[in-house]
């Protein structure tokens, strides 16, 4: 799902290689330190799913991976945070309070067998051979801190989520004060407004069940889309974007649980008036009930018209579920995460260079990088974080997010008028932001306008940095 090149090919990695080349062979410790900094760039994107119990986190995780790896239930059933990452052989370990690793049975963790670890664990790590996990580490969490079974698990949840690069925060109906409180707590525990997840995507979950539900006259998912837009507008400080999702519809489609016979049943319902279809006229009541649980009532009602084959039905389910839009948002988040990694590595290397004044080449290389277009990206990262925290409604938040979320100059510039020359447009924009920086309200806005002006100058000269 994530293009591996986005994360693998980080310019800061090339800087690390250059530095290692400039270090005398006898300084082995220093080489190893820089190699360790570089190794952090090759990690899969870390994504945490947060939200109340039963918000739909585990179901959505299964949809993203395309495999039912996280236990889901109407009752709370994710008891610990679980980190799902790529690895062979497939295995699970529990991490105890004092950091020891106990082997666990995967079946037990996933709720398929009795769970009796020898002693309390605070989180579990599951390694699986899944293509999706090669570029994405997914962290499932038990629920908001207040409802977690005990304090250590709550703390581990906050720590793991605070260390993620992307947070997917699920809520049903509306985001409440405990939703925003937990997001604030995560931000706090990651060390302030310019740390922690670069992207927080709000997910209005159970979108299939909004309004009068799946069999209602109104379109539940259409309503969810409007509601998501309202939440995004009212909480710009907490959510980079808000999207409607039906994790259950996506999980069903992605895990191949609709058969040709199911599609046939849906076709039989297609010609019926809504009420007749809802009350199973003409089809076996058990089959109807099973399909309603599998597809959701919305999927059964609206999917009737799209069931020419099981794969057509699967495609429709995926589109309607919102999971594809979420995956697009995750791709944007990966681009942002790459920039944030660049910024973090540059910080680390500045620190290393300061500690080694007898190696002036080191300092010179780092300095040159910091003044290149890539070094400037680190300023964009900081400006966006500070501005979205201090002035979340400023239009420049969006301008900075565009710069950070897309690879091509046209996309990075936001809306370029049709027929306009991209470089000329960037030059004009640079002048605009420069003028705005003179009349900005407060330090965060001034810094943002100056940063944007400089970004536009880079784009007018070089297009996108590479
Ligand atoms: N209708 C509907 N049910 C869902 C959706 N997502 C999850 N569920 C159901 O809600 C219950 C809780 O889901 P789960 O993923 O375990 O929630 P978690 O506690 O946040 O991990 C389960 O019975 C799921 O089948 C959804 O989008 N729509
Ligand atoms: Mg769960």
């Amino acid at each position: 799902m994530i293009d591996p090149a986005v994360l693998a090919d980080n310019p800061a990695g090339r800087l690390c290689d250059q530095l290692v080349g400039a270090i005398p062979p006898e300084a082995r410790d220093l080489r190893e330190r820089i190699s360790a900094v570089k190794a952090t760039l090759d990690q899969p994107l870390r994504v945490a799913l947060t939200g109340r119990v039963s918000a739909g986190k585990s179901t959505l995780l299964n949809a993203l991976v395309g495999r039912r790896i996280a236990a889901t239930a109407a009752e709370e059933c994710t008891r610990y945070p679980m980190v799902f990452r790529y690895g062979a052989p497939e295995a699970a370990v529990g991490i105890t309070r004092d950091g020891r690793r106990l082997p666990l049975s995967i079946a037990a963790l996933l709720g398929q067998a009795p769970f009796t670890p020898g002693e309390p664990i605070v989180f579990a790590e599951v390694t699986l051979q899944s293509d999706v996990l090669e570029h994405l580490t997914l962290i499932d969490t038990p629920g908001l801190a207040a409802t977690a079974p005990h304090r250590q698990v709550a703390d581990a949840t906050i720590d793991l989520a605070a260390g993620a690069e992307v947070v997917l925060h699920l809520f049903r109906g509306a985001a409440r004060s405990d939703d925003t409180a937990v997001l604030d707590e995560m931000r706090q525990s990651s060390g302030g407004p310019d740390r922690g997840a670069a992207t927080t995507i709000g997910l209005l979950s159970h979108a299939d069940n909004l309004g009068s539900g799946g069999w209602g006259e109104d379109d539940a998912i259409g309503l969810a889309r409007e509601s998501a837009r309202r939440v995004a507008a009212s909480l710009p400080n907490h959510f980079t974007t808000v999207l409607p999702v039906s994790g259950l519809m996506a999980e069903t489609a992605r895990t191949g649980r609709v058969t040709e016979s199911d599609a046939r049943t849906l076709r039989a319902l297609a010609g019926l008036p809504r009420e007749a279809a809802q009350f199973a006229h003409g089809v076996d009541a058990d089959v109807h009930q099973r399909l309603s649980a599998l597809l959701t009532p919305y999927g059964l009602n609206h999917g009737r018209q799209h069931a020419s084959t099981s794969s057509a039905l699967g495609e429709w389910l995926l589109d309607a579920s919102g999971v594809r839009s979420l995956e697009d948002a995750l791709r944007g988040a990966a681009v942002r995460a790459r920039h944030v990694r660049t910024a973090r590595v540059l910080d680390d290397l500045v620190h290393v260079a300061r500690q080694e004044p007898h190696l002036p080449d080191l300092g010179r290389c780092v300095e040159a990088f910091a003044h290149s277009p890539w070094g400037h990206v680190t300023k964009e990262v900081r400006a966006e974080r500070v501005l979205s925290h201090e002035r979340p409604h400023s239009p420049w938040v969006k301008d900075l997010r565009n710069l950070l979320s897309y690879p091509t100059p046209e996309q990075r510039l936001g809306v370029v008028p049709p027929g306009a020359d991209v470089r000329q447009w960037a030059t004009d924009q640079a002048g605009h932001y420069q003028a705005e920086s003179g009349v900005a309200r407060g330090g965060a806005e001034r810094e943002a306008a100056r940063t944007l002006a400089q970004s536009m100058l880079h784009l007018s000269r070089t297009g996108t940095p590479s």
Side-chain angles (χ1 to χ4, degrees):
M1 176 210 316
I2 303 287
D3 176 1
V6 167
L7 292 173
D9 178 30
N10 193 311
R14 299 198 286 274
L15 173 63
C16 292
D17 292 339
Q18 201 186 347
L19 296 185
V20 168
I23 296 170
E26 59 276 15
R28 262 207 20 228
D29 283 1
L30 186 55
R31 281 163 174 265
E32 279 169 16
R33 251 176 90 191
I34 293 175
S35 300
V37 169
K38 187 187 170 192
T40 63
L41 293 170
D42 299 330
Q43 302 299 315
L45 186 70
R46 266 179 97 77
V47 179
L49 291 98
T50 60
R52 293 166 163 232
V53 172
S54 278
K57 301 175 292 294
S58 302
T59 306
L60 181 66
L61 188 144
N62 292 340
L64 290 170
V65 178
R67 185 168 155 190
R68 301 186 75 201
I69 51 175
T72 60
E75 305 284 305
E76 178 187 359
C77 64
T78 311
R79 283 163 291 184
Y80 310 93
M82 299 232 222
V83 180
F84 293 95
R85 54 184 187 78
Y86 183 79
E90 300 206 334
V93 293
I95 286 75
T96 65
R97 284 175 204 181
D98 53 4
R100 277 172 304 117
R101 299 168 70 84
L102 306 177
L104 296 175
S105 129
I106 292 191
L109 265 183
L110 304 191
Q112 297 151 356
F115 185 77
T116 48
E119 57 185 296
I121 61 165
V122 290
F123 74 95
E125 251 181 35
V126 184
T127 50
L128 297 170
Q129 283 184 291
S130 142
D131 292 352
V132 173
L133 293 178
E134 267 192 86
H135 309 296
L136 206 62
T137 291
L138 289 168
I139 302 160
D140 194 10
T141 62
L144 297 185
T147 57
H150 52 80
R151 193 64 225 169
Q152 276 93 354
V153 172
D155 289 347
T157 303
I158 291 287
D159 284 353
L160 283 166
E165 296 169 290
V166 182
V167 169
L168 304 181
H169 186 80
L170 285 82
F171 56 88
R172 284 166 73 165
R176 292 171 225 278
S177 57
D178 53 357
D179 289 294
T180 50
V182 82
L183 293 172
D184 289 337
E185 194 181 342
M186 274 151 43
R187 190 183 277 168
Q188 209 84 59
S189 107
S190 63
D194 66 343
R195 294 268 174 267
T199 306
T200 303
I201 300 174
L203 294 174
L204 199 169
S205 167
H206 290 65
D208 54 89
N209 205 15
L210 234 68
S212 44
W215 288 105
E217 268 184 57
D218 43 12
D219 174 17
I221 290 183
L223 289 176
R225 210 169 291 128
E226 284 164 31
S227 179
R229 258 197 290 273
R230 281 195 298 275
V231 177
S234 68
L235 293 170
N237 181 20
H238 290 89
F239 297 124
T240 316
T241 182
V242 181
L243 303 169
V245 287
S246 169
L248 187 52
M249 285 165 66
E251 184 195 46
T252 295
R254 278 274 163 79
T255 55
R257 289 203 287 163
V258 273
T259 63
E260 279 313 323
S261 143
D262 294 335
R264 210 173 312 122
T265 306
L266 256 71
R267 284 201 298 278
L269 293 171
L272 300 179
R274 184 155 43 91
E275 281 220 339
Q278 176 175 4
F279 296 107
H281 292 177
V283 304
D284 182 281
D286 288 344
V287 172
H288 192 281
Q289 201 179 3
R290 189 180 68 82
L291 282 176
S292 184
L294 205 57
L295 305 172
T296 78
Y298 183 97
L300 187 47
N301 181 13
H302 296 263
R304 289 184 290 153
Q305 321 301 339
H306 305 273
S308 56
T309 60
S310 64
S311 72
L313 178 60
E315 289 299 306
W316 176 82
L317 278 169
L318 288 178
D319 280 341
S321 74
V323 74
R324 289 190 161 134
S325 305
L326 167 59
E327 286 165 346
D328 282 344
L330 279 173
R331 280 185 275 273
V335 177
R336 284 157 65 86
R338 162 195 169 120
H339 297 321
V340 174
R341 288 179 181 190
T342 309
R344 196 200 55 230
V345 165
L346 181 58
D347 272 353
D348 288 351
L349 295 176
V350 166
H351 188 70
V352 170
R354 278 206 196 114
Q355 289 178 324
E356 310 288 342
H358 56 285
L359 295 174
D361 279 356
L362 223 60
R364 269 196 290 274
C365 288
V366 175
E367 188 80 358
F369 185 87
H371 288 100
S372 73
W374 273 114
H376 180 70
V377 168
T378 70
K379 293 202 179 112
E380 295 171 352
V381 167
R382 215 154 285 147
E384 188 265 338
R385 289 189 161 210
V386 175
L387 190 66
S388 65
H389 189 63
E390 291 187 16
R391 291 207 180 267
H393 292 280
S394 164
W396 298 338
V397 171
K398 185 158 178 282
D399 296 352
L400 285 160
R401 284 184 182 161
N402 276 336
L403 278 172
L404 291 168
S405 304
Y406 296 108
T408 72
E410 289 83 350
Q411 291 170 316
R412 299 189 79 220
L413 278 166
V415 185
V416 178
D421 177 78
V422 171
R423 290 186 173 194
Q424 187 55 47
W425 174 253
T427 308
D428 296 347
Q429 290 294 95
H432 159 74
Y433 289 120
Q434 194 61 49
E436 291 285 337
S437 73
V439 291
R441 290 171 303 161
E445 276 204 354
R446 197 170 315 113
E447 198 47 43
R450 281 190 192 142
T451 303
L452 280 158
Q454 189 61 47
S455 307
M456 295 300 137
L457 281 182
H458 282 308
L459 281 168
S460 71
R461 287 190 207 119
T462 58
T464 193
S466 57

